[in-house]
Amino acid sequence: MTLDFHWFLPTYGDSRQIVGGGHGVPAGTAGGARPASIAYLGQIARSAEQLGFVGALTPTGAWCEDAWLATAMLVEVTERLKFLVAFRPGLISPTLSAQMAATFQRHSQGRLLLNVVVGGEQHEQQAYGDFLSKDERYARADEFLTIVRALWRDGRADFDGEHLRVVGATIPRVPDPVPPLYFGGSSAAAGPVAAAHSDVYLTWGEPLDAVAKKVAWIRELAARQGRTLRYGIRLHVISRDTSEQAWAEAERLLQGIDPATIASVQAGLARSESEGQKRMIALHQGSTANLEIAPNLWAGVGLVRGGAGTALVGSHTEVAERIKEYAAVGIDEFVLSGVPHLEEAYWFGEGVLPILERDGLWRHPFGQVVDGGAADVPFAPAKTREPVASAS
């Protein structure tokens, strides 16, 4: 078994502190000392590519830049990195979405992955003109993805559903390859839609037993439909040479959070309709006490950020062990992030991935980026010049 790792593009800004934002957080809340310019996001994307991440998730919502446009620009400054574009099916035509995906695939040489975000929060959906209930949004997503799949398969579709209707829908060309669909959701309404349409089911980072139960739930639903899925988990990460260094960094981040900000964010998130968000809140209950909710799993991020709110914290070896445990219960893909996103990509990429490679659980998806031959120490006298071992 080989695991896939994805990184994250903070299209709302980056910082050395936890940046707010995420599901259920108002527009304008997010932001950081490092603006989300194409130049900076390009640095992160190129570093992720070099380190061996398969792709990079780009979020969607009123609190960040548009994922489609930002990643289309970043295609030009990367070579092989894929882009996991989050989008909301209720806010765009299924025919247009199918066409956009085909265009993206053609001009990026097949580097599009799609993260279907059905929920959102009711107030935010209404700001975009969407007034369906949560369960109705999942029913509409089922129809939406049925239309999109037909267009990608046949180049045309006719559909007459409860929420969506298209007549004589066509796209100029079908995508090659068809973009894999990533889909999350913890509610009863989410499960059947995920099982029917997703290629990768995503969960936010919860303790191992909870993740195992969720994987088993979706696996059973998919099996009823004759489908086999992959499973992924969305986590933040703080990985250092020693456990003490990692937990010191977590404490530094915690000390940088204003208690008034925690209270304000938690008050907003408490009104969330999202079952996944409720599960995140239950892990910390708005308190800064007892945030290590499972071995090396820290819930501090969720105090000021909606959506994924947990981080793996520990030495490189400890983080690798926790990843192996998630893999043992069925997780194939890990969508990770850390602050700042540029530096934390290197901590993980140079610290954890070599351990997993040694244990046969990971290999660089693009092959050796750097020539493995020995290099001379620059400017050293010829007699004392020694070869420098290349990083594995």
Side-chain angles (χ1 to χ4, degrees):
M1 174 180 62
T2 301
L3 305 176
D4 285 341
F5 292 88
H6 307 266
W7 199 238
F8 186 86
L9 295 173
T11 53
Y12 44 84
D14 204 1
S15 174
R16 292 186 179 276
Q17 300 293 335
I18 298 173
V19 179
H23 299 267
V25 177
T29 302
R34 302 180 187 180
S37 65
I38 292 300
Y40 180 62
L41 295 174
Q43 281 185 281
I44 298 172
R46 287 189 297 272
S47 296
E49 182 175 70
Q50 176 242 320
L51 289 164
F53 292 95
V54 171
L57 172 64
T58 310
T60 183
W63 53 282
C64 57
E65 300 281 7
D66 178 73
W68 285 101
L69 293 175
T71 53
M73 294 178 187
L74 291 169
V75 163
E76 288 298 301
V77 300
T78 53
E79 295 179 357
R80 290 166 288 192
L81 186 74
K82 296 181 180 180
F83 294 97
L84 181 48
V85 175
F87 79 105
R88 298 183 182 179
L91 307 182
I92 189 171
S93 152
T95 307
L96 180 58
S97 294
Q99 182 181 6
M100 290 168 63
T103 299
F104 200 115
Q105 283 297 66
R106 181 186 179 200
H107 293 291
S108 69
Q109 288 76 54
R111 292 197 276 148
L112 177 65
L113 312 170
L114 286 173
N115 179 28
V116 181
V117 180
V118 172
E121 298 300 328
Q122 188 172 25
H123 68 274
E124 188 177 9
Q125 294 293 130
Q126 290 178 356
Y128 283 102
D130 181 10
F131 290 85
L132 294 187
S133 69
K134 177 182 173 182
D135 286 357
E136 288 173 330
R137 292 198 295 268
Y138 278 105
R140 180 181 56 193
D142 183 44
E143 297 179 3
F144 180 100
L145 294 172
T146 298
I147 296 168
V148 167
R149 288 286 196 190
L151 286 165
W152 285 347
R153 182 183 63 246
D154 305 323
R156 63 170 291 111
D158 291 283
F159 186 87
D160 189 2
E162 182 180 356
H163 300 285
L164 297 173
R165 180 171 181 251
V166 297
V167 178
T170 61
I171 55 176
R173 65 178 72 221
V174 297
D176 184 20
V178 170
L181 294 179
Y182 290 65
F183 193 106
S186 300
S187 68
V193 184
H197 296 287
S198 66
D199 298 294
V200 181
Y201 173 78
L202 284 177
T203 177
W204 289 335
E206 298 182 44
L208 195 64
D209 288 348
V211 171
K213 290 177 182 177
K214 195 177 287 188
V215 168
W217 169 51
I218 299 297
R219 182 174 284 146
E220 181 182 357
L221 291 175
R224 293 177 191 172
Q225 302 190 46
R227 303 189 72 235
T228 301
L229 312 184
R230 287 173 62 83
Y231 297 87
I233 192 167
R234 172 79 180 94
L235 286 159
H236 306 276
V237 64
I238 304 173
S239 182
R240 294 293 184 271
D241 294 336
T242 68
S243 183
E244 292 77 15
Q245 290 171 340
W247 285 109
E249 176 64 8
E251 180 62 23
R252 184 191 71 79
L253 293 175
L254 186 62
Q255 292 304 314
I257 301 173
D258 182 0
T261 300
I262 295 176
S264 175
V265 170
Q266 291 304 307
L269 293 177
R271 298 189 293 270
S272 175
E273 295 178 323
S274 166
E275 182 63 28
Q277 188 63 67
K278 292 175 183 176
R279 292 166 73 115
M280 286 288 103
I281 293 171
L283 297 177
H284 55 69
Q285 299 181 337
S287 171
T288 58
N290 304 315
L291 289 173
E292 188 178 2
I293 56 173
N296 302 106
L297 187 63
W298 185 64
V301 179
L303 293 172
V304 291
R305 187 187 190 282
T310 53
L312 291 177
V313 180
S315 68
H316 303 312
T317 298
E318 288 172 334
V319 171
E321 288 302 314
R322 301 293 83 77
I323 286 172
K324 292 176 189 177
E325 290 170 355
Y326 280 119
V329 299
I331 297 298
D332 308 290
E333 304 194 19
F334 294 78
V335 183
L336 306 175
S337 58
V339 295
H341 289 76
L342 181 61
E343 289 91 330
E344 203 65 46
Y346 280 98
W347 279 112
F348 183 87
E350 295 178 341
V352 179
L353 289 182
I355 297 173
L356 297 173
E357 183 178 34
R358 180 198 65 199
D359 294 343
L361 291 174
W362 176 82
R363 62 175 181 268
H364 200 297
F366 312 126
Q368 277 300 114
V369 174
V370 180
D371 186 350
D376 286 344
V377 176
F379 310 118
K383 290 183 180 180
T384 61
R385 189 173 295 174
E386 297 289 341
V388 177
S390 60
S392 59

